[in-house]
Amino acid sequence: MTENNQKTWVAEDPWKGLRRITDARIALGRAGSSLPLAAWMAFKLDHARARDAVHSPFQQAQLARELQTAGMECVQLESEVAHRMEYLTRPDKGRRLSTASRDQLKNKASGCDICLVIGDGLSARAIHENAREFTLLAVPLLHRAGFRISPICLVRNARVAIGDEIGEILGARLTVMLIGERPGLSAPNSMGVYMTMHPRTGTTDERRNCISNIRQGGLPPLEGVRKLGYLVEEAFKLGTSGVELKDRMTAGHLPFGISLESLTGS
């Protein structure tokens, strides 16, 4: 069988041109009543990458060293989860600090404006690829805007709500949490950023704002920081967050009147 003959077995989808503008699994064509072999193998590969993202260990110490090299104080914490399988089956434990981490945090000074938390969530890969760049842009921006920032809290086996307990212990007015999102088959490396005003244990999700899909190929970190800056501006202006804070940011918005390009040196 020649290569040309093999190609005739695949019926192409008339919408295949849309694949130029999205990573979504669309217009794949068919071979008989099934997917073409190449599309099926690509699906298996993406599924394996998603599983790897969930189970890859959080390189917590390495990220802490990188941020400390940039002059940022870091605290390494952990949730109540004992191991990764427990993390997947007991979300409630991922929302609470371990006793040792709670005691460690209580020794830190309280009363900051913004508490910055970084947790592995469901994709440590997303944090490894995006958190450093995002933090190195966001922290200088918030400092120049006059906010007091907490030590950066790196949390292993974290769920979003653990930021509420951390913010409460540190007496923060607002918590910003960077976390690895649930991997998709076209994006195992998406990072989400959640912002909560007046963080307290037991806060529910309608009190949060979320910036999603931060990654190369999604929302670039620079634009994610621009959006965060806008939301922080609005949160402190209104004294609230979540459903009571609507996103009306205009294109090219300068958060706090500061050019983000001035932070990157570009």
Side-chain angles (χ1 to χ4, degrees):
M1 183 68 66
T2 66
E3 183 179 352
N4 287 335
N5 285 336
Q6 287 179 336
K7 287 182 178 177
T8 62
W9 294 357
V10 176
E12 294 186 339
D13 189 289
W15 296 97
K16 68 177 184 179
L18 295 176
R19 288 160 56 189
R20 294 195 305 270
I21 58 174
T22 177
D23 292 331
R25 200 173 300 278
I26 61 172
L28 301 177
R30 61 182 174 80
S33 59
S34 301
L35 286 173
L37 179 61
W40 173 244
M41 296 299 290
F43 170 82
K44 298 286 284 183
L45 178 60
D46 287 345
H47 186 249
R49 286 173 172 157
R51 288 178 60 86
D52 281 350
V54 171
H55 292 285
S56 295
F58 181 23
Q59 303 299 327
Q60 188 181 36
Q62 179 177 331
L63 180 57
R65 284 194 296 273
E66 292 173 353
L67 296 176
Q68 287 165 344
T69 299
M72 299 177 186
E73 181 183 357
C74 294
V75 184
Q76 297 185 54
L77 307 170
E78 59 185 15
S79 69
E80 284 189 345
V81 170
H83 48 76
R84 199 60 177 169
M85 287 308 297
E86 186 174 60
Y87 175 81
L88 296 175
T89 55
R90 291 291 304 272
D92 57 315
K93 289 193 171 187
R95 299 182 185 117
R96 298 192 299 263
L97 287 172
S98 68
T99 300
S101 291
R102 196 176 300 119
D103 292 342
Q104 182 182 355
L105 211 54
K106 287 177 179 174
N107 293 325
K108 299 293 179 183
S110 63
C112 59
D113 294 313
I114 298 175
C115 171
L116 183 59
V117 183
I118 301 176
D120 48 1
L122 283 163
S123 174
R125 175 181 168 183
I127 294 301
H128 298 158
E129 294 185 10
N130 303 293
R132 177 181 177 277
E133 180 179 356
F134 189 95
T135 304
L136 294 183
L137 287 168
V139 169
L141 172 68
L142 297 172
H143 272 150
R144 283 180 58 176
F147 292 108
R148 294 167 298 159
I149 312 297
S150 72
I152 298 172
C153 301
L154 309 178
V155 192
R156 187 183 304 280
N157 288 320
R159 299 276 178 175
V160 171
I162 205 167
D164 300 331
E165 183 179 11
I166 294 172
E168 183 175 16
I169 293 172
L170 292 177
R173 300 169 65 190
L174 180 142
T175 287
V176 173
M177 176 141 196
L178 283 56
I179 193 164
E181 294 180 344
R182 184 186 305 278
L185 288 176
S186 59
N189 58 343
S190 290
M191 184 179 77
V193 176
Y194 290 81
M195 187 194 75
T196 309
M197 195 78 190
H198 307 306
R200 296 290 182 274
T201 302
T203 297
T204 47
D205 288 342
E206 90 284 356
R207 298 281 311 282
R208 313 187 200 285
N209 295 88
C210 177
I211 308 167
S212 184
N213 197 29
I214 297 173
R215 64 184 175 93
Q216 297 301 328
L219 182 68
L222 181 68
E223 291 308 309
V225 171
R226 190 190 308 279
K227 179 69 72 179
L228 175 65
Y230 168 80
L231 292 173
V232 170
E233 278 182 321
E234 292 297 298
F236 278 95
K237 185 187 305 178
L238 301 173
T240 189
S241 60
V243 296
E244 296 177 340
L245 195 169
K246 306 302 181 188
D247 182 2
R248 298 186 176 92
M249 190 181 85
T250 56
H253 177 73
L254 296 181
F256 314 106
I258 299 171
S259 166
L260 294 180
E261 284 69 19
S262 69
L263 301 174
T264 64
S266 61

